[in-house]
Amino acid sequence: MSESPFQAAVALQPQADGSFLGHTSAAYANMVGPFGGVTAAQALNAALQHPQRLGDPISFTVNFAAALADGPFTVAARPARTNRSTQHWVIEMQQHGETVLTATAFFGLRRDTWGVDEQAMPQVPMPSDVPRAGGPTRVEWTKRYEMRFVEGPIPSDWNGADQGGSRSRVWVRDDPPRPLDFASLTALSDIFFPRVWRRRPVLVPIGTVSMTVYYHADAALLRATGDGYLLGQTQAQAFRGGYFDQTAQLWNEAGQLLVTTHQVVYYKE
Amino acid sequence: MSESPFQAAVALQPQADGSFLGHTSAAYANMVGPFGGVTAAQALNAALQHPQRLGDPISFTVNFAAALADGPFTVAARPARTNRSTQHWVIEMQQHGETVLTATAFFGLRRDTWGVDEQAMPQVPMPSDVPRAGGPTRVEWTKRYEMRFVEGPIPSDWNGADQGGSRSRVWVRDDPPRPLDFASLTALSDIFFPRVWRRRPVLVPIGTVSMTVYYHADAALLRATGDGYLLGQTQAQAFRGGYFDQTAQLWNEAGQLLVTTHQVVYYKE
């Protein structure tokens, strides 16, 4: 089986000093620099592939300090604290000796407990009943995902009229489809176009500055989800003074909540 | 004017190596170790008081790696990247040479832009029309906050019956009242009791492992809010395998959204 574009994009080479060497991926190029979701996945991978890793990711926060230049980068993951069944990571990515990304991650061994999904998957049409978003795209990375919008597609009329809300709902999976893992789930947490464009269709410059991912899925639930579609739902809470937040959920087709995620985004004007 | 308990609790002394020395506060003691909100505020303070600080906090993520022991701690804040109008911090707190907390923060200079609060404050009774939560409390820190529950108070009957939802709404402010600042707003982001106790009233052991705060308020909005009440709303999205998330909003009495915040919490059983 040949390597998928995603696997190739997030691959890291261990270095003698314990850090990893990676490379930006032309397949996931964005307007300026690469798609942040893949950069986040590369950063998480430094902990996932670390020889001292304990357990699976429970939470992950990534801060984008600068647009990455096309080319190589180093990423170092340090286990700042390892307890009996939990582990805290501090992660930093550099290019040309300058920090381009900081991150922290919390890993843990899960145990069986009482549980429930309080945020239920909304009732929406099946993926096969929703057309794929298509047509020419200005950025390469969106071609690496199959997106089928149920509500709130990317605006076609950039008229600036207040839409009264910013919610979108979209079926999404990797293209080509591939079994879900923690790295790809992290990238999928960042596939939502900026809520400021949805609430008020003006093509203002934007950039995510920080994203947090909470993994409700363990490895068994990832396996059960396989290469199926995920339903993503996202909405902003406040836009003010050049920054807005957006919150999102990702369910699998069976309606299990795999991820809740949040980000704060810079916008101009 | 004498120093408030909060000011005393979050005070830091600069050290020769650029780090800060702080001390846990008996006034904010929790079941095991101190109230995490004040620990988070102490960590943020290391960036707020740093001589290289640029702008105000936009986002902050704190990871609780171990329960703090009563006594002194050191906290180091490093500006990993400073751009023209933004700054990324990496923060670490230690006791006895071991890491007890990691954090990252994003600071920025805000500019005037189009904006709107999409998440509107719910219609609730005024603080004066809601009784203060009172009676004996098992932990000291809750006495440092005036809380008036509009919905979902701490359970009085721990019968374990599924409540069908985990939402709480509460008017809250420091006791004694004091003008809001970024440190106290950070602590207030953590005043919500764990959603697992609300959804299913069983007094299981819990502990926040990571909290993210997005500050929608700038310094002018903090001044306008003064020492008034904040309305807090919080709800979980998923409980599974020993961890749940909870998401929250804090509005001022005028209905302006000051903070959106998220955390992931360990629970046993």
Side-chain angles (χ1 to χ4, degrees), chain B residues 20-191:
Chain B
F20 294 90
L21 183 69
H23 200 286
T24 61
S25 163
Y28 288 89
N30 203 350
M31 217 90 90
V32 178
F35 166 49
V38 158
T39 307
Q42 289 163 329
L44 182 67
N45 235 359
L48 288 170
Q49 298 189 5
H50 198 284
Q52 288 175 258
R53 167 185 173 182
L54 173 75
D56 285 335
I58 309 290
S59 76
F60 175 59
T61 293
V62 58
N63 307 289
F64 300 98
L68 268 70
D70 292 339
F73 58 79
T74 59
V75 54
R78 173 172 61 91
R81 175 102 184 199
T82 302
N83 298 313
R84 198 159 45 92
S85 59
T86 63
Q87 192 169 49
H88 286 266
W89 293 90
V90 176
I91 301 166
E92 198 158 331
M93 189 180 280
Q94 294 200 326
Q95 279 188 319
H96 311 296
E98 286 210 289
T99 299
V100 293
L101 175 152
T102 68
T104 57
F106 171 75
F107 280 48
L109 298 170
R110 290 184 176 271
R111 67 184 77 200
D112 278 339
T113 60
W114 170 85
V116 67
D117 281 357
E118 180 156 327
Q119 176 74 268
M121 184 164 81
Q123 301 250 337
V124 296
M126 296 301 296
S128 54
D129 295 335
V130 184
R132 178 170 181 173
T137 160
R138 293 172 310 155
V139 292
E140 187 64 23
W141 75 266
T142 57
K143 300 177 193 164
R144 304 288 90 77
Y145 292 98
E146 182 184 335
M147 298 195 203
R148 297 170 180 269
F149 281 93
V150 174
E151 178 184 330
I154 296 179
S156 49
D157 183 6
W158 297 89
N159 58 18
D162 192 327
Q163 303 297 300
S166 70
R167 195 174 69 190
S168 288
R169 289 169 168 174
V170 59
W171 288 110
V172 60
R173 63 175 176 176
D174 285 281
D175 185 2
R178 61 184 294 276
L180 203 59
D181 55 35
F182 287 111
S184 66
L185 189 54
T186 302
L188 282 156
S189 298
D190 193 36
I191 57 101

Side-chain angles (χ1 to χ4, degrees), chain A residues 133-139 142-143 154:
Chain A
T137 159
R138 292 172 312 155
V139 292
T142 57
K143 300 176 193 164
I154 296 178

